[in-house]
Amino acid sequence: MRSLRDLPRSPVAKPDLAAIGVTGNWRTSRPVINKEDCQKCMICWMHCPDGLIKKNQEGFPEVNYEFCKGCGICANECPTKAIEMVEESEDEPHQNAYSK
Amino acid sequence: MIEVRWHGRGGQGAVVASRILALAAYQDGYKGVQAFPFFGMERRGAPVLAFTRVSKSDIRIRNQVYEPDVIVVLDPLLPKIVDVDRGLKPKGYIVLNSRQKPSEVKWAKNYKTATVDAISISKKLNLKVAGFQVFNTPMLGALARATKLVKIASVKKAILDYFGEKRGKTNSEAAEIAYENTFSSEGQE
Amino acid sequence: MNLIKMLTANDAVAYAVKLARVQVVAAYPITPQTASVEKISEFIENGELQAEFICVESEHSASSAVIGASACGVRTFTATSSQGLALMHEMLHWAAGTRVPIVMYVVNRALSAPWSIWCDHQDSLSQRDTGWMQFYAEDNQELLDTVLMNYKISEDKEVHLPSMVCADAFTLSHATTPVDIPSQREVDEFLPPYTPELTLDNIENPVTYVPTCSPTRPSSDWYMEYKYLQNESMAEALKKIKEVCREFKEKFGRFHGDLLEQYRCRDAEVVIMSMGSFAAQAKDVVDEMRDEGYPVGAVKLRTFRPFPVDDVRELATKTKAIAVVDRGLSFGHCGQAFMEVKSALYNSSHKPLVKGYTLGLGGRDIKTSDQRHVIEQTFKDLEKGFAAKESEWVSLRLEGPEK
């Protein structure tokens, strides 16, 4: 909690995780990776504009659903169409993305 | 004066809905109407707010709406991530896009709740803007049904005036279907 | 014949520009003005407005282009906000000195740093020395009407000064309300075409804008005299504004005040003075407090330049205290409107208590409770006979949020 007197002399902004909120809340569909079709090429990792895909221990890409906005670029770029954009529904909450 | 707060996602048409409501109300004889968006940066998918004020006399108030009388939630997932009922007046109206019936919406039990499955209506009528499913026009119909703030005929006319004949036709149909299919906790079905 | 449409202030200005038969538009986009110029370009594209739209690469170029066009005897328009207005600064002096009657829409937006796209009046107020007339609208209807009136005022032979029509960012620019759009015929009857005596492109009488006025050569040493005449025209404008507002009222049936608009001030002990859209809200606060027995009134400072010294002195005869709300600040001194009111009253026979309040910078919302606080605090000061604090900041966040 900042007060008027805690503000720095020059207005500055610092890099801060989730500075504008948990952006995973913005998505209406989420990328789901089918391990059978995935060839671990990591093209999805390369194209994610927010850098939210990482390689897990098995070598498969893993999406950080806390911040994934569901833009669908990964699904669009996947050469084997192993990524499907699944609609988020009322009944199933966003995984890891609903911290209020 | 009645204050309505619209909860949507950027790209879902909350701002358009707020303007159409203003137009419908004006045509219904409310002399004072005001519609404005939450004045923040917007991005497709991010939660956004819009507001409509409706009054019998000219509205001179210009500050933000802090205690709405009615809230309309365009996207069923929003209540999970946004406090949509913040500031809502006691016994205020909640108009929700949801497959649930009003009695099933636990968090809204202290308010006059109405629900409509606008997703199905939108999909059936193929209401899409730039690939994004929009729910604003059916929700306008639901608002009319739940609150009786404006007549459905005025809502339909306002939709046609706003979008023109071509786009307006399907949208005003959506509003009518939603009007007929709104479930309300006040007992009307 | 009344045509009422749901318009934002941005739309309303576009309609006014169309009705005024503007001939040249040059503007650069900036939030929150962009939609207005987009609408105007639509009107030009579909032929509803016969005008030349010059695409420019900056606001500095936009202002330069309209100065050049106006100097050739055509009716011109530009629009900007905040950083864009600041970028025009050099040309603002130029336009006023050249005496071209440009009308410019300014959406009042805070200046950086820090970065803000939200409302305050610092952008136009910090240009108050440039020689442009400045008008602050309280609602979308007033904005449309003022653009029409300002062409008439600016182009008047006794005035010939450019003017800014200011509207609050988002509160007006993006807020939709019903607006009565007059008919083209009615506007044509009210606003005749622009026919200046001197133009840059008259082969029969070739002139150039502008001479160099050197104090070392008597034949050119006229700088001070040009400035004297410029200021005299500002004084003339005070009368013209009243005349044209009266004429507008007779023709269109609407009056938004001329220099000041006084609301319930006749027997008021405290008066709250504001500019822009919250001047409207202040009236609601006044009504509420009047019902509680407070002798209070509200004043909308509609014309900031030329500054209505006489009208402010007249207001001072009616009241015991004036609470001046500023959405801007001249760093190192105080709020601009507050400063101007104090200076106008210094030599006046009636000197009520005058107190300054800083509110709403960077788009900080001005609640009715804030305006109420302003009035209540002024009553307290009045009771004591003096203001312990000459000016105050309202709704300053001393503590941050809990996050």
Side-chain angles (χ1 to χ4, degrees), chain C residues 51-295:
Chain C
E52 191 76 40
F53 191 102
I54 309 177
C55 289
V56 289
E57 72 279 17
S58 79
E59 288 86 351
H60 186 273
S61 298
S63 48
S64 308
V66 292
I67 292 169
S70 190
C72 292
V74 296
R75 187 169 283 158
T76 61
F77 173 84
T78 187
T80 190
S81 176
S82 172
Q83 313 299 127
L85 184 62
L87 189 56
M88 285 184 179
H89 181 71
E90 160 190 31
M91 303 315 293
L92 294 180
H93 287 279
W94 192 267
T98 320
R99 310 294 299 271
V100 283
I102 301 165
V103 171
M104 169 161 67
Y105 172 45
V106 174
V107 180
N108 286 127
R109 166 188 142 175
L111 285 163
S112 309
W115 192 254
S116 171
I117 57 168
W118 295 275
C119 179
D120 71 33
H121 298 153
Q122 189 77 345
D123 55 359
S124 51
L125 288 177
S126 58
Q127 304 294 348
R128 66 200 191 281
D129 291 342
T130 55
W132 282 62
M133 296 190 279
Q134 290 192 8
F135 299 81
Y136 290 80
E138 83 176 74
D139 58 37
N140 297 353
Q141 183 71 66
E142 180 176 358
L143 197 57
L144 189 155
D145 294 345
T146 304
V147 171
L148 296 176
M149 286 190 267
N150 277 20
Y151 276 111
K152 190 150 193 173
I153 298 165
S154 282
E155 291 170 6
D156 186 282
K157 306 237 180 290
E158 308 298 315
V159 177
H160 252 270
L161 289 168
S163 66
M164 285 182 206
V165 185
C166 304
D168 287 348
F170 297 109
T171 320
L172 292 187
S173 68
H174 284 58
T176 306
T177 58
V179 176
D180 188 327
I181 304 175
S183 70
Q184 186 65 72
R185 185 187 50 85
E186 286 178 289
V187 175
D188 288 340
E189 285 164 7
F190 171 76
L191 182 65
Y194 175 45
T195 49
E197 283 155 18
L198 265 179
T199 67
L200 202 54
D201 57 350
N202 182 355
I203 299 179
E204 312 295 314
N205 183 18
V207 293
T208 185
Y209 283 133
V210 291
T212 297
C213 289
S214 164
T216 61
R217 269 189 314 125
S219 60
S220 75
D221 187 14
W222 294 112
Y223 187 90
M224 245 177 111
E225 287 66 32
Y226 275 119
K227 293 298 144 188
Y228 182 88
L229 291 171
Q230 192 179 324
N231 205 41
E232 208 175 55
S233 293
M234 270 285 197
E236 196 56 44
L238 283 167
K239 289 188 236 138
K240 286 296 165 184
I241 292 164
K242 290 195 166 177
E243 241 175 71
V244 171
C245 289
R246 223 181 357 252
E247 224 187 288
F248 192 90
K249 181 178 183 195
E250 275 160 26
K251 179 120 193 107
F252 298 95
R254 287 192 294 272
F255 184 72
H256 307 283
D258 39 43
L259 306 174
L260 297 180
E261 184 202 53
Q262 297 186 28
Y263 182 75
R264 302 183 84 165
C265 292
R266 206 175 310 120
D267 55 343
E269 282 184 14
V270 168
V271 154
I272 176 171
M273 181 186 280
S274 337
M275 288 157 69
S277 59
F278 287 88
Q281 186 170 287
K283 294 177 201 168
D284 263 19
V285 176
V286 160
D287 283 349
E288 192 182 274
M289 291 181 83
R290 275 272 182 186
D291 286 345
E292 294 165 24
Y294 285 87

Side-chain angles (χ1 to χ4, degrees), chain B residues 14-79:
Chain B
V15 178
V16 169
S18 70
R19 298 184 75 177
I20 294 178
L21 177 60
L23 180 57
Y26 189 76
Q27 286 170 352
D28 260 357
Y30 286 99
K31 196 159 169 275
V33 294
Q34 223 183 63
F36 55 98
F38 174 67
F39 308 139
M41 318 272 201
E42 291 168 31
R43 189 264 183 207
R44 165 156 298 193
V48 295
L49 301 174
F51 306 91
T52 312
R53 283 189 168 116
V54 163
S55 168
K56 293 253 154 53
S57 50
D58 275 329
I59 301 177
R60 297 183 296 200
I61 300 272
R62 300 320 303 223
N63 58 208
Q64 296 288 297
V65 170
Y66 293 103
E67 291 178 350
D69 299 282
V70 179
I71 60 158
V72 184
V73 186
L74 296 185
D75 188 305
L77 299 174
L78 282 174

Side-chain angles (χ1 to χ4, degrees), chain A residues 22-32 47-53 63-77 83-88 94-95 97-98, chain B residues 9-10 43-46 77 130-133:
Chain A
V22 173
T23 54
N25 294 338
W26 296 9
R27 67 171 182 271
T28 49
S29 57
R30 102 174 88 109
V32 176
H47 284 87
C48 174
D50 290 347
L52 296 172
I53 299 181
V63 177
N64 180 345
Y65 291 112
E66 203 177 348
F67 297 104
C68 169
K69 292 194 195 100
C71 71
I73 288 175
C74 54
N76 193 54
E77 295 297 324
I83 303 182
E84 194 195 338
M85 295 306 292
V86 171
E87 210 180 88
E88 299 282 6
H94 292 164
Q95 300 196 353
Y98 277 101
Chain B
R9 292 184 188 273
R43 189 264 183 207
R44 165 156 298 193
L77 299 174
F132 212 54
Q133 210 75 45

Side-chain angles (χ1 to χ4, degrees), chain B residues 95-164:
Chain B
V95 186
L96 219 44
N97 174 5
S98 173
R99 288 196 195 95
Q100 292 181 305
K101 296 287 178 298
S103 51
E104 294 164 24
V105 187
K106 299 286 173 245
W107 58 269
K109 66 176 167 53
N110 291 329
Y111 304 104
K112 301 192 185 95
T113 309
T115 62
V116 68
D117 183 1
I119 305 179
S120 306
I121 299 174
S122 174
K123 284 193 169 152
K124 207 180 304 172
L125 291 167
N126 200 23
L127 291 178
K128 268 190 171 181
V129 176
F132 212 54
Q133 210 75 45
V134 288
F135 312 119
N136 57 356
T137 41
M139 292 313 287
L140 276 161
L143 170 75
R145 184 65 188 271
T147 65
K148 299 195 181 39
L149 182 61
V150 284
K151 303 194 199 64
I152 183 63
S154 306
V155 168
K156 288 171 68 183
K157 182 169 186 299
I159 290 173
L160 281 162
D161 284 342
Y162 195 91
F163 289 114

